[in-house]
Amino acid sequence: MRNLANGLGALLASTALGTAAIAQDDSPFKADITRTTHNIAHIEADTWEGVGYGVAYAYSEDNICMLAEEFTTVRGERSMHWGPETPTPLGLRGADNLTSDIFYRSQIDISGLRKGLAKSSATNQALIAGYVAGYNRFLFDNPVASLPKECKDAEWVRPITTDDMLRLNEKTMLLASSLAFAGAIAKAAPPGESVAIADPQSIAFPGPPDPNYGSNGWAFGSEATVDGKGLLIGNPHFPWEGPARFWQMHVKGPNGYDVMGVGIAGTPLPTLGFNKDVAWTHTVTAARHFTVYMLQLADGDATSYMVDGEAVPMEETLVSVPMPDGKEPYETVLYSTQFGPVVSLPSAGAQWTRQMAFTLRDANTGNQRGMDAWLGIGFSSTVGEVESAISETLGIPWVNTIAADREGRALHADITAVPNVGKEFATACATPFSAMVASQIILLDGSRSECDWMTQPTTASQPGLMPGTDQASRIRRDYVTNSNDSYWLSHAGEPYSELSPILGEHKTRLSLRTRSNFTETEAMLTEAQMDHARAQELVFGNKVLVADMIMDEVLGLCAGNNALAEPCGVLADWDRRVNNESKGAHLFLTFWDKAPRDSDFWLTDFDPEDPIATPNNLNVEGERGEKLLNALREAAEEITSESIPLDAPWGAVQTRTDGVEKIAIHGGPGGPGILNMQIGRKVEGGLTPRHGSSYIQIVGFDDDGPVADAILSYSQSTDPVSPFYADQTRLYSEKKWHRLPFSDEEIEAARIGETVTISE
């Protein structure tokens, strides 16, 4: 057993542990860590503090530099260490370090979060205390001078406090909502004399997340599986780089908690995974987790707004961001209201003028219920209990929940923390501009107090949130699925009835990836029932739906065109997939990016009664055909200019390097209807994945427990010198799977090294 010396007491003085005695037999901070094949961590503890303690320590062993940088980010200290102008990931869009720092320093209410923590469950508090202690324990055992070169001797690597964990959780909750408006919040300033009323015809807001950012999830019930038990496929599309990477863990905790799966940086429990009876996954939902309010400003005072005829002063906050090299801090004043912070998007017409302003109110601000929701899921033995856990907590921030259980039930639940804004309420509280931006956001009138979110008796503990009973959820015995489109279609044959527009649009056009999902799923189930092997074929089929839809017409245009003989010949020989050996995939995908897809691209329009098959029939008449050929010519010229053969195998174009060799990566962008999504960024000689298929799990059940095949596409560790930096990436490249060890006997058989016990 590793026991700490008295010197650790000083290190922990500013953490959740305070000056607690070290190495006492009755200390709750104790965990066993066992590693199995691919360095998967199995953490066992008798207390929830011990669970957080062990998870944090094991995660830090694999990803200390990334995690330390993330704590620096949420403290709002990036500018001080990496300069204010350096780009950084921020939500799903990115920004510079100064914008990031302003956002975190202004929008994270640490005082409010501390109060919220005190009111949260004892289990949540214990998990956070344990995580703080486990991270700091790792730094005690591994001085900064001994860390990987990415953070060796870095001054930004330091012990954390409970506040750091609260900030990190808040960032995770806001990832798909407020973070999209970070720049609009950070740059909002009262108008000068020259700013006039915004042009009503030009107002626009950032739309919902691009459907390329999301996931696929399937749950099959007893009517669709070979053995009559539930079967789950989880295929989340998440970043390959940064703190949103998944990390595999298996946690055994108090009261029989026994869950295996993955979490991201700072999560002390698996947030996608399985237990002996239930498996679940998540996909980014199309619901909107915020509303925008339009404020009428007081005459002659652009920092006061009118509510029910009375002027209300905005709250001013001075934000000070430390700068590098001892320079004076950057300071700015931001403004907030009872309807959230002021946002300003001058380039989109939604700007702060002398007459009006816009604010953002986020349902996930202060959401500290997430861990209790995932804890409830982990303890569930049926999908009905999963549904109850997420409905009672309303803690799931911005994802659908898709689950299957051993009794053969399948669940799709688009139940999250969303504003309680129904269709009638949105209509009654509309502004003159609301209809114009309805496809982007819900815009409400902030001049009337009656337009504040409604609180119902069933959600009194979560005021202003929509009850789970008013959101989309269903349990079936055949299948349910989602690929990030709206709640309205989770089964091809049975659409949902229309719900509040804040949950997503109803009977609207589906993405090609969603259409591919339903097309492939229905075709497979028509042939035979689902089992692990067929599930693997479904998730890694790598078909390009739009190629099947348009290729014959494109090749018809090619006929007799000698100038395009080579690219046309490559496309004619292409197998219409994005497998590693597929020759012509790069040419087609580049062509698709360049093809002008305006309103007359398809001859057959979208039909809500036939959503999977429409729109269709490529328009190649006249000028349309010439535009398509021009796009193909431009694609061929671009690829040739990069010294890439037009018929290069896809696996030679899209690769991931382990520092020495290139690993072929199959899959491709979701836009043209590829289920196994991989979005690449350009590198010399081709592409490398930056976002896409990450932790893929196929989970069924036998009489003894779960049967899980999985792969983590980018592997466990972010340290390039680790043997676990690319080991699973090679398996992914070869479409191989890893049978996960869950039982004690399986863990023992797959063990690598001795179990390590940490305590203090």
Side-chain angles (χ1 to χ4, degrees):
M1 177 182 295
R2 296 179 181 173
N3 288 316
L4 292 180
N6 292 334
L8 184 55
L11 177 66
L12 300 176
S14 62
T15 72
L17 292 181
T19 55
I22 304 302
Q24 292 184 354
D25 291 340
D26 60 352
S27 171
F29 301 100
K30 179 180 178 181
D32 294 332
I33 303 172
T34 303
R35 298 282 189 162
T36 57
T37 309
H38 303 303
N39 217 33
I40 296 174
H42 302 256
I43 296 99
E44 187 167 3
D46 295 331
T47 66
W48 293 114
E49 291 91 345
V51 167
Y53 186 65
V55 170
Y57 194 98
Y59 184 92
S60 298
E61 287 181 312
D62 292 339
N63 299 293
I64 181 57
C65 294
M66 184 176 69
L67 184 54
E69 182 176 341
E70 182 68 351
F71 284 127
T72 305
T73 296
V74 297
R75 291 185 193 115
E77 296 178 350
R78 292 196 64 86
S79 296
M80 181 169 62
H81 298 290
W82 296 287
E85 298 178 356
T86 304
T88 183
L90 186 64
L92 299 178
R93 290 182 168 90
D96 57 63
N97 283 337
L98 181 58
T99 298
S100 174
D101 290 342
I102 293 172
F103 177 82
Y104 287 116
R105 285 177 172 259
S106 65
Q107 299 309 303
I108 292 185
D109 175 11
I110 197 64
S111 176
L113 293 178
R114 290 169 184 161
K115 294 176 183 177
L117 177 64
K119 296 178 182 178
S120 71
S121 71
T123 299
N124 182 52
Q125 295 180 51
L127 286 167
I128 290 176
Y131 203 97
V132 171
Y135 179 89
N136 291 342
R137 168 60 190 275
F138 176 83
L139 290 184
F140 180 86
D141 287 349
N142 301 271
V144 179
S146 69
L147 297 181
K149 67 177 184 178
E150 287 76 16
C151 60
K152 182 178 180 180
D153 292 323
E155 60 181 8
W156 44 269
V157 180
R158 64 178 191 259
I160 62 171
T161 69
T162 300
D163 286 353
D164 291 309
M165 286 296 291
L166 294 177
R167 292 185 184 101
L168 183 52
N169 177 74
E170 185 78 342
K171 178 258 178 105
T172 302
M173 296 298 107
L174 302 179
L175 184 63
S177 45
S178 287
L179 276 170
F181 288 83
I185 293 171
K187 294 178 173 63
E193 290 299 319
S194 62
V195 178
I197 293 178
D199 177 6
Q201 302 304 314
S202 65
I203 291 179
F205 288 89
D210 187 319
N212 276 338
Y213 290 92
S215 309
N216 306 313
W218 297 261
F220 298 94
S222 57
E223 296 175 4
T225 59
V226 170
D227 61 7
K229 294 179 170 61
L231 181 73
L232 179 100
I233 306 175
N235 178 210
H237 302 152
F238 258 54
W240 277 50
E241 300 167 349
R245 284 173 47 118
F246 288 117
W247 178 77
Q248 289 178 277
M249 61 177 132
H250 179 194
V251 174
K252 292 185 178 183
N255 307 317
Y257 182 88
D258 190 359
V259 176
M260 192 170 190
V262 291
I264 62 175
T267 52
L269 294 173
T271 52
L272 296 85
F274 56 91
N275 61 27
K276 67 182 182 65
D277 297 311
V278 172
W280 77 95
T281 191
H282 295 300
T283 62
V284 175
T285 174
R288 297 152 180 164
H289 300 90
F290 60 90
T291 60
V292 174
Y293 280 89
M294 189 176 78
L295 306 182
Q296 175 189 338
L297 302 183
D299 289 341
D301 184 0
T303 60
S304 292
Y305 58 104
M306 306 299 294
V307 180
D308 298 337
E310 298 290 331
V312 181
M314 294 180 181
E315 181 180 341
E316 299 182 14
T317 300
L318 175 65
V319 182
S320 181
V321 179
M323 291 289 108
D325 304 322
K327 295 178 181 178
E328 289 295 313
Y330 175 89
E331 293 188 342
T332 187
V333 176
L334 297 185
Y335 295 80
S336 61
T337 72
Q338 68 192 73
F339 301 113
V342 178
V343 297
S344 185
L345 293 161
S347 62
Q351 63 193 105
W352 188 349
T353 73
R354 296 191 302 276
Q355 292 79 23
M356 71 171 69
F358 298 90
T359 66
L360 179 81
R361 186 177 177 193
D362 196 323
N364 277 305
T365 297
N367 179 1
Q368 297 185 54
R369 305 177 305 277
M371 273 303 107
D372 286 324
W374 279 303
L375 191 71
I377 294 174
F379 273 120
S380 297
S381 57
T382 67
V383 297
E385 292 176 2
V386 171
E387 184 181 42
S388 295
I390 61 178
S391 297
E392 291 169 5
T393 60
L394 293 180
I396 300 297
W398 35 265
V399 289
N400 295 276
T401 301
I402 299 162
D405 64 28
R406 68 165 48 251
E407 300 303 320
R409 291 172 287 247
L411 166 73
H412 167 245
D414 192 348
I415 298 175
T416 59
V418 293
N420 190 23
V421 174
K423 186 175 183 179
E424 293 182 0
F425 181 94
T427 300
C429 286
T431 76
F433 304 152
S434 295
M436 296 166 43
V437 296
S439 64
Q440 301 157 356
I441 50 98
I442 301 293
L443 180 62
L444 301 176
D445 184 357
S447 69
R448 293 179 283 155
S449 60
E450 65 187 10
C451 293
D452 201 354
W453 300 344
M454 299 182 295
T455 296
Q456 296 187 13
T458 56
T459 58
S461 60
Q462 299 101 23
L465 299 189
M466 181 178 289
T469 52
D470 291 346
Q471 301 185 52
S473 186
R474 62 169 29 144
I475 296 174
R476 300 180 64 94
R477 286 282 183 174
D478 45 11
Y479 80 88
V480 290
T481 186
N482 180 267
S483 289
N484 308 120
D485 267 309
S486 172
Y487 69 90
W488 76 274
L489 200 64
S490 62
H491 184 280
E494 188 176 343
Y496 277 104
S497 300
E498 186 173 8
L499 299 173
S500 167
I502 205 164
L503 298 174
E505 296 180 297
H506 187 254
K507 289 197 171 182
T508 53
R509 180 170 165 173
L510 304 173
S511 73
L512 286 167
R513 180 158 55 86
T514 293
R515 291 172 64 182
S516 179
N517 182 338
F518 283 118
T519 299
E520 297 303 313
T521 301
E522 290 279 325
M524 292 198 77
L525 291 178
T526 298
E527 294 174 359
Q529 291 176 307
M530 195 65 63
D531 59 14
H532 275 64
R534 291 176 60 76
Q536 293 174 11
E537 181 183 347
L538 175 60
V539 77
F540 281 166
N542 288 333
K543 292 184 178 180
V544 184
L545 174 64
V546 79
D548 287 338
M549 296 172 65
I550 72 171
M551 188 57 71
D552 291 344
E553 287 81 0
V554 171
L555 293 177
L557 290 172
C558 282
N561 192 319
N562 293 332
L564 291 176
E566 183 183 4
C568 289
V570 170
L571 290 183
D573 292 338
W574 174 45
D575 62 6
R576 303 183 186 181
R577 297 179 185 248
V578 282
N579 289 322
N580 289 337
E581 64 274 13
S582 297
K583 296 182 177 182
H586 187 38
L587 175 61
F588 178 82
L589 295 176
T590 306
F591 157 71
W592 177 251
D593 283 342
K594 296 180 180 299
R597 295 190 292 279
D598 43 28
S599 58
D600 62 347
F601 186 80
W602 301 108
L603 292 172
T604 303
D605 292 334
F606 170 71
D607 180 356
E609 301 308 314
D610 191 13
I612 298 170
T614 61
N616 59 30
N617 296 322
L618 179 67
N619 182 0
V620 296
E621 298 301 320
E623 184 181 345
R624 294 292 315 170
E626 287 301 316
K627 289 182 178 180
L628 290 168
L629 289 177
N630 285 336
L632 180 57
R633 181 179 299 105
E634 291 174 5
E637 290 173 351
E638 178 180 308
I639 292 172
T640 300
S641 71
E642 295 171 347
S643 301
I644 300 173
L646 296 184
D647 63 349
W650 181 238
V653 176
Q654 182 168 261
T655 62
R656 172 81 161 183
T657 179
D658 67 353
V660 177
E661 63 177 353
K662 291 182 177 180
I663 303 170
I665 302 297
H666 56 88
I674 299 170
L675 281 175
N676 181 26
M677 195 193 82
Q678 295 291 1
I679 299 176
R681 59 177 172 84
K682 284 194 174 185
V683 294
E684 185 177 356
L687 304 167
T688 194
R690 63 177 177 84
H691 191 112
S693 289
S694 50
Y695 170 71
I696 309 121
Q697 61 174 0
I698 298 172
V699 187
F701 305 92
D702 62 19
D703 292 340
D704 297 323
V707 179
D709 294 323
I711 199 71
L712 184 63
S713 61
Y714 36 66
S715 307
Q716 278 281 80
S717 177
T718 51
D719 182 0
V721 303
S722 168
F724 307 106
Y725 177 75
D727 56 330
Q728 291 195 68
T729 309
R730 292 186 180 86
L731 289 184
Y732 172 87
S733 177
E734 298 170 9
K735 295 187 180 181
K736 293 182 179 179
W737 297 78
H738 176 219
R739 178 62 54 89
L740 296 181
F742 186 79
S743 69
D744 291 343
E745 294 77 14
E746 292 166 342
I747 293 170
E748 184 59 33
R751 159 198 300 280
I752 52 176
E754 296 299 317
T755 295
V756 173
T757 299
I758 55 172
S759 67
E760 57 192 58

